[in-house]
Amino acid sequence: MAEVTFQHTVSSPVRFAGIGVHTGAHARVVVLPAPAGVGVVFVRTDICDQDNRVPVSGEAVCKTQLGTVITNAAGVTVATIEHLMAALVMVGVDNALIEIDGPEMPIMDGSALDFVHGLDAAGLTRQGKLRQYIEILDLVEVIEGDKRAALRPADGFEVAFEIAFASRAIGRQAVDLKMDGEAFRRELADCRTFGFLHEVEALRAMGLARGGSMDNAVVIDGDEILNAEGLRRPDEFVRHKALDAIGDLFVLGAPVIGRFEGVLAGHALNNAVVRALLASPHAWRMCTLAPQMAEAV
């Protein structure tokens, strides 16, 4: 596990390949070491006639329909970054250059597990700068009808999520976890994205879900789960929502010391609370951890 007081990057290149769940386009990805202080920067290697670097930030998020999409000033985008972002922050990667030869991150098996395994196999290199954390000092929340996303002070990083669906395959589920790298590997990393069969045709007409299948998502038809292997966990659905939220928070550029709470929320509300936090300078501060504090977080 990474030492929490210093920044880290990957020790060697990490390669992934697969199809995008929405575009259906095949993409190859290489996660490369980057200098301290750089953060996470995507590079579209298939684009040569304009700026192809897309740094991750809260303001860079341009779309949040069934996934998180970031853009740069030239309009170059990278879609569905949330699962890799969750893996990066929870494995302990602060700085990385991510080369991708297409418009969307590969969905892999629909979870963050392949990303975690790849990053773990590469290992991490400690860098000379202290890791920056975003410490939540005051409640920031966004409410839209019955949906809510909030960040509030806490001693470490916590994530709580609630969902409710009419389908008996899901119903009402909730999870509330103290979160670090080991807890992420144990509790969330293998939990897959999910979707409803009756929505697929409409989504594909909108240019979405073209690469979705039972190889990379839990598919629900009415009250039945169609995947032959069933669920990995009884509450896999809400755990995946918590995974998504962790990835969506890391667009802030640093790990959070605080508690995230999501109720019936998704990528749009997750990014809304990120932007609300950035617009509320009194509610947070950037900090480092003294060595004696490291074991408490």
Side-chain angles (χ1 to χ4, degrees):
M1 183 177 174
E3 296 174 53
V4 298
T5 52
F6 286 90
Q7 294 183 28
H8 288 75
T9 190
V10 291
S11 295
S12 59
V14 190
R15 291 176 169 82
F16 305 101
I19 63 167
V21 67
H22 294 308
T23 61
H26 189 274
R28 292 170 295 184
V29 176
V30 186
V31 181
L32 296 165
V38 165
V40 178
V41 180
F42 285 83
V43 180
R44 285 280 302 273
T45 58
D46 58 318
I47 293 177
C48 302
D49 59 346
Q50 56 187 312
D51 183 10
N52 64 354
R53 294 171 62 91
V54 189
V56 175
S57 70
E59 296 88 350
V61 176
C62 62
K63 293 181 183 177
T64 52
Q65 186 178 23
L66 300 180
T68 295
V69 184
I70 56 171
T71 188
N72 64 10
V76 174
T77 61
V78 183
T80 320
I81 66 168
E82 59 272 11
H83 301 167
L84 176 60
M85 293 297 291
L88 289 169
V89 68
M90 297 316 303
V91 167
V93 177
D94 301 279
N95 306 295
L97 200 65
I98 302 168
E99 294 185 346
I100 179 169
D101 66 355
E104 184 182 19
M105 278 293 300
I107 192 64
M108 312 307 286
D109 74 345
S111 76
L113 196 59
D114 288 329
F115 297 134
V116 169
H117 286 166
L119 295 169
D120 280 346
L124 302 184
T125 295
R126 194 180 87 171
Q127 300 178 290
K129 289 186 178 180
L130 290 175
R131 172 173 291 158
Q132 298 286 312
Y133 291 83
I134 292 174
E135 182 182 5
I136 307 302
L137 303 175
D138 198 4
L139 172 67
V140 174
E141 65 180 346
V142 177
I143 299 172
E144 295 180 1
D146 57 353
K147 301 175 182 178
R148 174 177 173 268
L151 287 163
R152 64 172 69 245
D155 291 335
F157 180 41
E158 303 174 7
V159 59
F161 218 103
E162 297 178 32
I163 61 172
F165 287 85
S167 169
R168 288 201 297 270
I170 305 177
R172 182 171 289 274
Q173 298 182 0
V175 67
D176 193 332
L177 297 166
K178 292 184 182 294
M179 190 53 48
D180 60 16
E182 293 310 311
F184 182 76
R185 291 172 176 86
R186 184 176 64 247
E187 303 285 353
L188 300 180
D190 66 341
C191 295
R192 296 162 293 173
T193 192
F194 60 94
F196 293 90
L197 187 63
H198 72 271
E199 296 177 348
V200 169
E201 189 172 323
L203 289 172
R204 287 181 175 167
M206 297 164 59
L208 299 170
R210 291 178 177 176
S213 72
M214 283 184 280
D215 292 329
N216 54 41
V218 179
V219 181
I220 304 141
D221 184 13
D223 296 325
E224 301 296 324
I225 293 166
L226 298 185
N227 303 62
E229 73 276 17
L231 295 176
R232 294 176 175 174
R233 301 163 184 267
D235 58 352
E236 184 172 1
F237 304 103
V238 72
R239 287 174 183 266
H240 182 78
K241 287 287 194 177
L243 185 163
D244 277 346
I246 291 170
D248 287 344
L249 285 181
F250 193 39
V251 301
L252 286 163
V256 169
I257 300 175
R259 176 180 174 84
F260 173 85
E261 298 171 349
V263 179
L264 311 182
H267 298 293
L269 216 57
N270 294 346
N271 188 247
V273 82
V274 162
R275 289 174 181 266
L277 182 74
L278 293 173
S280 306
H282 69 280
W284 62 284
R285 66 171 180 168
M286 196 70 80
C287 67
T288 60
L289 294 184
Q292 64 268 25
M293 294 174 59
E295 294 183 2
V297 175

